[in-house]
Each structure stands twice: as C-alpha cells, then as structure tokens.
C-alpha cells in the first residue's frame, strides 16, 4: 500500500511540475507533462504562468527551428511581441519593430492554420488577450456629416491595416476550425468579447467590416450560448441607428449576417423573431441613407414573408407607413422591395392590404419623376402580381383608373405613356364591363371637377371686379374732396 501511495504521489508531482515547453497533441487541449522531462523539477504543484513581459521587440527563432517541447514558450513570447502597439501615421518611425511584428503575426497564422499541434488553454487565453489588445480600440471620428457612399466617396482606410488584417486572420483560424473545443473557447470568446466585436462594426474601413462579418457569423454558428446575446446586440445597434444617430457604417454587414440567421429560423416562428421584424427591420426603412443597405434589408424582410406568409400584411403596411414623400430614388427602392414581397404574398393576405397599397401605387403612377412612374408600372410585368390584381380587379381598377387615364392623356414621358396604355388595354380585355363603368365614373368626375373649377374661377372674377369697383369709387371720392 505504501508503494502505491508513493508511486501515485510521484506521478502527481511530475504532472504538476512547471514546464514552459511543448504543445499537447491531445485534441482536448489539456497539457500533460508526465512523460516529458522537466528542466525544473518541483516537489509541489504550481500553476503555469506566461513568461515575464517583454520591454523591447527582438526577432525570435522560427517554430521549425526549435525543438517541439520549447514551442509553447516560444508561442507565448511571440504573442507578447504582437501585443506591442505602433503609430502608423508616421511610416518611418519604428519601421524595424513594425516589420518584426508583421512577420511574427504571419508565422502565428501559419502555425495555427497548419494544425501541427493543439494549443492548450493558457495559450488560447493569451492569444485572445493579444487579439483583443489589437482590434479593440477607439475608432477615429467620422470623416463627414453624411455616411460615405462606397460608389462615390473614397472610404476611410485604417493605417495600421498591415497588422490588423493578420490579427483578424489569426482570430478566424481560431474560431472557424471544427476541432476548436467550444467548451474551452467560450471562456475567452465571452459576452464582453462579442459586445466589443459588435461595436467595431461602426468602423468606416470596409475591409475590416468584411472580416468582422465573417467572424461574427462563425461565432453565431459555433457558440450557441451567444446567439440570443448577438441578436439582442444587433437589435440595439439598429435602434440607436434609427432613432438617434442615423449614422452607422456596418448596417449592411449586420443585415447580411441576419439574412443567414433568418434563413435558419425554425417554424412556427417564435414571437421574439416577429417582434424583431416589426420593431427593428421595418423601421430601418425610415433613415435617409437606406440606399447603402437596402438590398440586404429587402432580403431579410422577404425571408420573413417566405417563412411565414401571414406576415405579408404586416410588412406591406410597414412599408406604407415609412413610404417616402419627396425622395424619388428612395421611392424606387421601395417599389422594388414591394414587388418582391408581393411575389411571396398569398391571396388572403393581399386582400387585407390591397386598398391602402394601391392608393399609394396610384400616387406613384402619377409621379412626375419618370423612374417612379415607370417602376410602379413594372409591377404588372410580374405574373403572380397580375393574378392577384385580376382576382380583385373590382376593387383595384377603380382606385388606379384615374392615374392610368391621366398618364395616357398628359404624362411627359413616352415610356410611361406607352406602359399606361398597355395596362389599360389589359384591364379592358380582362373585364370590359368594369372598365366601362370606371371610364364613365372618371368622365363624370372630370366633368364635375371642371364645373367646380369654373365656379371657383367665376368667384375669383367677381372678387376682382368688386375690388376694382371699390378702388374706382375711392379715387372718385378723393378727387371730389380735393
């Protein structure tokens, strides 16, 4: 019994001996030094610590040039080199140290990607700390009053991108692989880390936002514990953008992530997700810079309707609520999205919103901006929408007939004039009796309007005559008194 106790005691001491070398090939990422020689044997258990901090940057040997047991210590020292910050506004300052850090980051990325060894928990913790020190920073102030248009304006580019890009590459190599133990990694990729990651989407550098989009999407897919937190964080960013600032560079990238998330929603859809559509996505149609992210927003909205057709009425009424009044290009975007939503709309839902919907379409048909009028007329090129209109023509035609008639009579654009004539012909062939009734009603309204206008003009003429008569009498009285 005494021999067994002594053997177990020696094994325990050997296991807890401090050893700064060697990566554990075990995929569970638990370091076991029992079978490895320890340069500093100890009779008591100690906790592994990172090497002391470095005060200057000097080149370190490559991983391939050192024995396998020494690579863990070398890995930690390289992480320390990569934790140094440099001023990239002056390209000449610390040029040597900047290059050493860049080469070290490249080697770390290659080493993690190669998968030759599994890094233990201490190395994972120190690596996430180094990544946090590099990417989490105060973003520079915005460059102008309005958000930058990527097609017209030169985007702001981070001056320290040569280092920052490699740090993001390292984070991707850590998060993406399927053999990463999420039970261990979630201790370092925690809520605080994810929150700071979401805050970085405000950067104006499109290259950084692309990396952030990929990383956050992978974290959402791999760490199920973070999913509600990520959705709530994105929600809060949208609220702040819509109701406070109307300025954020990463709305499009966040919507791209959401498009993939919405696509994976299970049916029946949770009430939480429906509220997200109503409270966050639909109000995103309000801000002025919607053109920068409308494509991604429309995709998300249509995904909801395709998942649950009963949401079509909610979405269409939401679009009508935020329909632009004076912004014609925004109106064209709304019409395009409306067509996509209607294509996924079922007849029952269509009937619920068709009256306010086609009242707005009628106003668009008469727009003096030819692109708005033309885009609204293009709705009749969609077969599904034509079927819905045909089934409810007795309600829809009386609403839009006057607009079509005015276009054929007096619209300045020939394309709009021709398309309006084609749609009138379509309705005439569809239901001649209804068309004739609408035409007769339109003529009566026009005659009545003409009569009202004549009466108004007559009243103005009488008023002018009365004023002239009063002025004439006043002049005569003045002449008599003088």
């Amino acid at each position: 019994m005494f021999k067994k106790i002594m053997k177990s005691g020696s094994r325990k001491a050997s296991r807890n001996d401090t050893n700064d070398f060697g990566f554990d090939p075990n995929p569970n990422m638990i370091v076991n030094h029992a079978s490895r020689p320890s340069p500093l044997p100890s009779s008591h258990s100690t906790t592994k610590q990172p090497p002391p901090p470095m005060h200057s940057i000097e080149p370190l040997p490559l991983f391939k040039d050192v024995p396998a047991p020494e690579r863990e210590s070398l890995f930690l020292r390289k992480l320390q080199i990569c934790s140094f910050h440099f001023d990239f506004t002056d390209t000449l300052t610390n040029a040597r140290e900047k290059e050493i850090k860049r080469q070290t980051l490249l080697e770390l990325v290659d080493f993690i990607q190669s998968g030759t060894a599994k890094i233990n928990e201490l190395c994972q913790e120190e690596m996430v700390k180094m990544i946090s020190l590099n990417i989490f920073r105060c973003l520079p102030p915005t460059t102008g009053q309005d958000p930058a248009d990527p097609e017209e304006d030169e985007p702001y580019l981070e001056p320290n991108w040569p280092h920052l890009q490699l740090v993001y590459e390292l984070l991707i190599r850590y998060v993406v692989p399927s053999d990463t133990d999420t039970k261990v990694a979630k201790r370092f990729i925690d809520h605080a880390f994810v929150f700071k990651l979401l805050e970085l989407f405000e950067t104006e550098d499109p290259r950084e936002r692309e990396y952030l989009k990929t990383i956050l999407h992978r974290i959402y897919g791999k760490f199920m514990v973070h999913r509600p937190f990520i959705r709530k964080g994105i929600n809060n960013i949208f609220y702040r953008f819509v109701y406070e600032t109307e300025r954020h560079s990463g709305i499009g990238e966040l919507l791209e992530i959401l498009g993939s998330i919405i696509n994976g929603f299970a049916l029946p859809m949770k009430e939480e997700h429906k509220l997200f559509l109503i409270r966050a996505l639909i109000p995103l149609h309000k801000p002025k810079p919607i053109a920068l992210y409308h494509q991604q927003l429309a995709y998300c909205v249509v995904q909801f309707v395709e998942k649950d057709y009963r949401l079509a009425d909610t979405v269409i009424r939401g679009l009508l609520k935020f329909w632009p009044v004076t912004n014609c290009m925004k109106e064209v975007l709304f019409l395009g999205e409306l067509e996509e939503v209607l294509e996924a709309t079922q007849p029952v839902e269509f009937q619920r919103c068709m009256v306010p919907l086609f009242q707005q379409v009628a106003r668009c048909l008469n727009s003096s901006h030819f692109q708005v009028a033309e885009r609204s007329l293009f709705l009749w090129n969609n077969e599904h929408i034509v079927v819905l209109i045909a089934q409810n023509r007795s309600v829809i035609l009386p609403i839009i007939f006057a607009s079509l008639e005015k276009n054929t009579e007096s619209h300045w654009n020939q394309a709009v004039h021709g398309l309006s004539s084609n749609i009138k012909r379509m309705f005439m062939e569809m239901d001649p009796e209804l068309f004739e009734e609408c035409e007769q009603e339109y003529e009566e309204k026009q005659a009545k309007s003409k009569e009202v206008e004549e009466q108004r003009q007559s009243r103005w003429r009488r008023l002018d005559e009365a004023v002239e008569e009063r002025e004439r009498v006043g002049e005569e009285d003045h002449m008599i008194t003088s």
Side-chain angles (χ1 to χ4, degrees):
M1 176 65 71
F2 179 74
K3 289 181 179 179
K4 288 183 179 178
I5 294 172
M6 290 298 292
K7 287 180 180 178
S8 63
S10 63
R11 281 197 298 273
K12 186 174 181 182
S14 174
R15 175 170 183 159
N16 291 314
D17 282 344
T18 302
N19 183 358
D20 288 337
F21 308 110
F23 277 65
D24 182 15
N26 190 340
N28 293 326
M29 299 184 184
I30 300 172
V31 180
N32 183 357
H33 300 287
S35 60
R36 298 175 188 168
S38 175
L40 297 172
S42 173
S43 59
H44 61 277
S45 42
T46 59
T47 304
K48 292 182 76 60
Q49 296 291 336
M54 301 173 67
H55 301 290
S56 62
I57 289 186
E58 295 297 334
L60 294 176
L62 301 177
F63 283 115
K64 63 181 181 180
D65 296 336
V66 299
E70 298 180 14
R71 289 177 183 167
E72 179 181 347
S73 176
L74 181 61
F75 185 87
L76 293 171
R77 289 164 64 199
K78 287 180 181 290
L79 290 177
Q80 288 186 344
I81 286 179
C82 297
S83 298
F84 280 86
H85 286 269
F86 298 102
D87 181 11
F88 276 81
T89 55
D90 185 355
T91 56
L92 299 178
T93 306
N94 302 120
R96 174 178 171 274
E97 288 82 359
K98 291 175 184 175
E99 181 60 21
I100 291 173
K101 179 178 177 179
R102 192 183 71 83
Q103 292 294 339
T104 305
L105 283 168
L106 276 171
E107 191 182 1
L108 288 173
V109 171
D110 292 339
F111 184 77
I112 296 296
Q113 187 174 9
S114 66
T116 54
K118 297 294 180 182
I119 57 175
N120 60 30
E121 293 182 26
L122 173 63
C123 291
Q124 290 183 62
E125 182 179 7
E126 293 301 315
M127 182 173 67
V128 173
K129 283 181 181 177
M130 182 276 290
I131 291 170
S132 300
L133 284 171
N134 278 275
I135 65 175
F136 299 142
R137 64 205 188 279
C138 291
L139 296 174
T142 52
T143 54
Q145 294 298 320
D146 298 322
D149 187 340
E151 295 182 358
E152 297 182 4
D153 303 329
E154 284 293 329
Y156 170 81
L157 300 178
E158 282 286 345
N160 62 335
W161 185 245
H163 288 177
L164 207 56
Q165 180 183 15
L166 295 173
V167 175
Y168 278 121
E169 287 287 347
L170 186 63
L171 181 55
I172 287 176
R173 301 299 188 277
Y174 175 58
V175 171
V176 169
S178 57
D179 58 348
T180 299
D181 189 348
T182 55
K183 292 181 181 179
V184 175
K186 73 181 181 182
R187 299 212 299 267
F188 316 124
I189 309 292
D190 55 7
H191 279 2
F193 186 93
V194 172
F195 176 78
K196 292 176 183 177
L197 210 61
L198 284 167
E199 291 295 308
L200 284 176
F201 274 89
E202 205 159 359
T203 177
E204 292 187 22
D205 193 328
R207 303 169 300 180
E208 184 172 7
R209 295 200 304 269
E210 279 298 311
Y211 273 99
L212 289 167
K213 180 181 70 176
T214 303
I215 291 166
L216 187 65
H217 191 198
R218 294 294 185 174
I219 289 175
Y220 187 92
K222 187 178 284 288
F223 299 87
M224 295 188 67
V225 67
H226 292 329
R227 290 184 179 183
F229 182 81
I230 291 173
R231 291 198 300 269
K232 185 177 179 182
I234 294 175
N235 224 345
N236 291 336
I237 290 173
F238 289 167
Y239 289 155
R240 189 164 66 245
F241 173 69
V242 172
Y243 299 110
E244 294 180 12
T245 64
E246 285 201 3
R247 184 178 187 94
H248 195 288
S249 301
I251 299 297
E253 286 78 9
L254 290 171
L255 285 169
E256 282 189 54
I257 297 171
L258 281 172
S260 178
I261 293 173
I262 295 166
N263 195 33
F265 282 166
L267 295 176
M269 199 175 292
K270 294 180 181 178
E271 194 64 27
E272 169 201 347
H273 303 327
K274 296 178 182 179
L275 289 175
F276 173 72
L277 168 69
I278 296 168
R279 295 178 179 176
L281 288 185
I282 292 178
L284 276 174
H285 291 84
K286 177 186 175 184
K288 183 179 178 182
I290 185 176
L292 299 178
Y293 58 82
H294 181 262
Q295 183 180 356
Q296 297 92 331
L297 176 60
Y299 177 78
C300 290
V301 170
V302 173
Q303 284 280 307
F304 269 100
V305 179
E306 290 178 348
K307 283 277 182 181
D308 187 350
Y309 68 90
R310 291 170 295 183
L311 293 171
D313 177 54
T314 302
V315 168
I316 291 172
R317 289 183 183 274
L319 285 173
L320 295 176
K321 178 182 178 181
F322 295 107
W323 200 275
V325 178
T326 58
N327 190 332
C328 295
M329 297 314 297
K330 191 174 175 181
E331 211 166 355
V332 172
L333 294 176
F334 273 52
L335 286 164
E337 182 178 353
L338 178 63
E339 181 177 354
E340 293 184 50
V341 172
L342 287 173
E343 201 165 0
T345 302
Q346 299 300 316
V348 176
E349 302 302 319
F350 179 78
Q351 289 171 358
R352 291 179 180 175
C353 60
M354 61 183 177
V355 173
L357 170 61
F358 278 89
Q359 286 173 346
Q360 180 60 56
V361 171
R363 288 190 286 271
C364 293
L365 290 171
N366 279 148
S367 174
S368 57
H369 195 292
F370 81 96
Q371 288 182 330
V372 175
E374 190 175 51
R375 189 64 188 84
S376 57
L377 289 164
F378 282 162
L379 292 174
W380 275 264
N381 290 343
N382 189 299
E383 293 183 6
H384 180 72
I385 296 175
V386 169
V387 170
L388 293 174
I389 292 172
Q391 292 171 350
N392 301 277
R393 58 185 178 273
S394 60
V395 176
I396 294 172
L397 183 57
I399 297 173
I400 65 169
F401 186 86
S403 299
L404 293 172
E405 193 68 27
K406 288 175 184 176
N407 279 352
T408 55
E409 289 176 359
S410 58
H411 201 283
W412 65 271
N413 186 272
Q414 288 299 315
V416 172
H417 183 279
L419 288 169
S420 301
S421 300
N422 292 339
I423 293 171
K424 279 182 61 181
R425 193 177 303 112
M426 181 190 301
F427 278 112
M428 189 185 302
E429 295 172 355
M430 194 182 296
D431 194 334
E433 292 182 5
L434 176 64
F435 186 87
E436 188 176 345
E437 288 176 12
C438 292
E439 191 172 33
Q440 186 176 355
E441 185 180 350
Y442 173 76
E443 290 173 355
E444 290 174 359
K445 284 183 179 179
Q446 288 296 101
K448 193 172 183 180
S449 298
K450 188 176 180 181
E451 183 180 346
V452 170
E453 178 65 19
E454 288 176 353
Q455 291 175 358
R456 189 178 71 86
Q457 293 293 341
S458 176
R459 286 196 294 270
W460 275 110
R461 282 195 298 270
R462 289 199 301 272
L463 183 61
D464 290 339
E465 290 171 359
V467 170
E468 290 175 1
E469 179 65 21
R470 186 171 181 178
E471 289 177 351
R472 186 179 61 80
V473 172
E475 290 177 358
E476 290 177 356
D477 291 343
H478 178 69
M479 292 174 65
I480 293 170
T481 56
S482 59

